[in-house]
Amino acid sequence: MIEHADPWPLHKLTLRSPRLDLRPDDDKGLFELAEEAELGIHAPEEMPFTVPWTDAPPEELAGNLVRYHWQARASHRPDDWHINFLIRLDGRVIGNQTVHAGDFSITRQIRTGSWIGLRHQGNGYGKEARGAVLMFAFDHLGARSATSAAFTDNPRSLGVSRSLGYQANGSRTEARRGTLAEQTELLLPKDRFTAYRPQWNLEVTGLDKARPSLGL
């Protein structure tokens, strides 16, 4: 019997924190994620995303989201990868936590981005999900640093970053909804995370066979 390589070795990867399960996106979970996005992610007058994808008409939002995730999954390479973790609470998808890296075997740097459905915000799930992927990256992948960014008018995202040890690392301006907006770039070295890491244990399963697909 011929033993074939796993065509998608990330499908068994799971991160478990005290309240949440994070697993790379699958189609059933993406449909739940789309439903969560349709229920709202932020107030209409706010825009936390560089690409204002939540401004899409309701009849287009879900399809756009699913196709974006399919595209990211299809373009995954060991030297340029995105893991779009679906955040599950009690088995139900409540948001998305992304980890991206380019030439990770050389740079040992990751970049994070995330969102939680509006109805689930204010409960610390965003910080718990970010803490989980940081522990995953530093403890299990051998990352040396992590970066992120947030608009200066998004204090909740900036607050999560600072609570986990990120520090400002410059800024940039860009057009957002036709007006100028400023983003704060953030950097978190591994040694600094040691003082800010969550005081709980992360359970990681299904990583061994996924390592080559992450450039490891």
Side-chain angles (χ1 to χ4, degrees):
M1 182 175 180
I2 300 175
E3 184 176 348
H4 297 283
D6 191 335
W8 187 239
L10 293 178
H11 77 282
K12 293 183 179 180
L13 178 61
T14 304
L15 315 184
R16 291 189 177 90
S17 64
R19 298 180 295 176
L20 307 173
D21 280 6
L22 281 73
R23 299 198 299 276
D25 57 357
D26 59 88
D27 287 355
K28 180 178 182 297
L30 281 182
F31 298 151
E32 291 184 17
L33 186 70
E35 291 174 3
E36 193 63 49
E38 290 176 326
L39 292 173
I41 300 172
H42 56 82
E45 67 275 11
E46 299 174 355
M47 178 44 66
F49 305 117
T50 301
V51 177
W53 60 274
T54 48
D55 283 346
E59 65 274 14
E60 298 178 10
L61 182 64
N64 290 349
L65 180 149
V66 171
R67 284 190 293 273
Y68 166 79
H69 281 262
W70 283 342
Q71 184 179 38
R73 205 189 305 169
S75 62
H76 183 105
R77 304 194 315 268
D79 62 348
D80 186 10
W81 49 262
H82 286 78
I83 306 178
N84 283 303
F85 286 103
L86 300 182
I87 305 168
R88 286 181 169 86
L89 174 69
D90 298 327
R92 183 71 187 180
V93 175
I94 64 168
N96 177 56
Q97 174 68 65
T98 297
V99 181
H100 166 248
D103 294 313
F104 181 75
S105 63
I106 301 170
T107 67
R108 296 289 172 169
Q109 183 175 83
I110 63 150
R111 189 169 182 85
T112 62
S114 64
W115 62 266
I116 298 285
L118 188 60
R119 61 179 178 159
H120 300 288
Q121 293 175 17
N123 296 296
Y125 300 136
K127 179 178 179 179
E128 188 170 328
R130 180 99 68 91
V133 296
L134 289 173
M135 294 166 78
F136 169 65
F138 288 132
D139 299 345
H140 297 269
L141 301 185
R144 289 194 288 260
S145 62
T147 65
S148 190
F151 285 108
T152 55
D153 59 2
N154 189 354
R156 286 170 295 184
S157 178
L158 291 169
V160 168
S161 295
R162 294 189 180 109
S163 71
L164 290 167
Y166 289 83
Q167 292 180 302
N169 188 42
S171 64
R172 70 175 188 269
T173 56
E174 55 188 78
R176 180 184 59 171
R177 283 179 168 172
T179 61
L180 197 63
E182 183 177 355
Q183 286 223 49
T184 299
E185 289 287 342
L186 301 154
L187 175 66
L188 177 61
K190 180 178 180 178
D191 57 356
R192 181 172 170 82
F193 181 61
T194 301
Y196 289 85
R197 65 183 295 123
Q199 298 303 303
W200 39 261
N201 294 322
L202 178 72
E203 180 185 348
V204 177
T205 56
L207 175 58
D208 287 346
K209 290 187 177 181
R211 285 182 177 277
S213 71
L214 302 177
L216 300 172

